Amino acid sequence: KAGVTQTPRYLIKTRGQQVTLSCSPISGHRSVSWYQQTPGQGLQFLFEYFSETQRNKGNFPGRFSGRQFSNSRSEMNVSTLELGDSALYLCASSLEGGKYGYTFGSGTRLTVV
Amino acid sequence: AQSVSQHNHHVILSEAASLELGCNYSYGGTVNLFWYVQYPGQHLQLLLKYFSGDPLVKGIKGFEAEFIKSKFSFNLRKPSVQWSDTAEYFCAVNSGYSTLTFGKGTMLLVSP
């Protein structure tokens, strides 16, 4: 079965711009989570959507937002980009979350200049 | 709030050496525990997970982990590492349907 697909793979944006990242989960998975990975902070949780509803939220500013569509595909948006937003953004999908575990995508590498 | 501590940030081993990576978590209730691996340039892959039953869990590629509830630990082991095991290893925990909390990761370098 197809894995978790994230697009685009690479992005270069200018400070102050906004960006939208996309994630297509494994077919049948209803939970989609987003993480930010940086060398200094490791993997930090952004938010999780389950059946189109935000179920969990991490400790990120309101510039970071997301949504999930009826087909479980998810998007995250970052507005007013800052240099510190440069990171690998990972999407993970799960049947229902919890003990079922999560399958990760390859990520979107965002560089803010 | 849950937290995960991985004791070693970097580990260097020779091929055929035994591996043990430490992971401790802080949460008093029922937990689900995971080990993920990230090979250079690749995405995170699940090595193994524990949520109930036998506390000794076997995963892919010869890895295993032991859940010791009294020590809040979930250490990863492999009897004999290979050069291809060079990667970053992440321990993670959640409870119920809460999100995964990750440790900072341990970079393992295996020299041939």
Side-chain angles (χ1 to χ4, degrees):
Chain A
K1 56 182 177 181
V4 179
T5 304
Q6 290 188 247
T7 55
R9 289 295 307 276
Y10 302 93
L11 265 179
I12 300 176
K13 289 286 188 178
T14 304
R15 201 168 36 174
Q17 286 186 313
Q18 75 163 12
V19 68
T20 299
L21 312 182
S22 179
C23 173
S24 293
I26 291 172
S27 177
H29 284 193
R30 295 188 292 167
S31 164
V32 174
S33 299
W34 289 90
Y35 291 82
Q36 182 194 66
Q37 186 177 21
T38 58
Q41 298 298 319
L43 282 146
Q44 293 187 287
F45 171 72
L46 283 153
F47 27 68
E48 181 202 11
Y49 287 87
F50 181 77
S51 294
E52 300 180 66
T53 301
Q54 188 178 84
R55 182 161 73 175
N56 290 296
K57 188 178 187 306
N59 195 23
F60 276 78
R63 299 185 297 107
F64 292 81
S65 63
R67 59 179 175 170
Q68 186 180 31
F69 301 95
S70 59
N71 62 358
S72 292
R73 190 177 71 84
S74 177
E75 289 181 346
M76 70 164 278
N77 184 276
V78 187
S79 62
T80 319
L81 283 165
E82 301 177 359
L83 297 178
D85 297 332
S86 295
L88 180 66
Y89 289 88
L90 296 171
C91 169
S93 84
S94 175
L95 197 62
E96 294 187 2
K99 68 181 183 182
Y100 292 95
Y102 298 77
T103 302
F104 282 80
S106 298
T108 294
R109 172 75 62 185
L110 173 64
T111 303
V112 182
V113 298
Chain B
Q2 298 161 351
S3 66
V4 178
S5 174
Q6 292 184 239
H7 314 300
N8 308 99
H9 294 298
H10 294 89
V11 172
I12 301 173
L13 295 172
S14 299
E15 271 193 319
S18 64
L19 170 72
E20 181 160 4
L21 300 183
C23 172
N24 286 90
Y25 63 94
S26 66
Y27 184 73
T30 303
V31 292
N32 308 306
L33 296 155
F34 306 83
W35 274 98
Y36 281 87
V37 61
Q38 191 171 33
Y39 298 102
Q42 296 189 27
H43 61 279
L44 280 164
Q45 299 174 41
L46 181 66
L47 271 179
L48 47 79
K49 64 180 179 181
Y50 170 83
F51 56 89
S52 67
D54 189 344
L56 184 61
V57 181
K58 295 194 184 299
I60 61 171
K61 306 188 181 190
F63 287 91
E64 66 178 30
E66 185 175 13
F67 170 53
I68 303 180
K69 189 174 181 179
S70 61
K71 295 185 178 180
F72 297 90
S73 71
F74 190 55
N75 292 354
L76 181 70
R77 300 195 292 248
K78 186 172 184 179
S80 176
V81 294
Q82 301 172 323
W83 177 79
S84 57
D85 293 324
T86 293
E88 191 160 18
Y89 293 81
F90 294 90
C91 181
V93 63
N94 69 6
S95 62
Y97 290 101
S98 72
T99 181
L100 280 177
T101 299
F102 282 88
K104 293 288 190 186
T106 297
M107 186 67 222
L108 171 66
L109 176 62
V110 180
S111 58

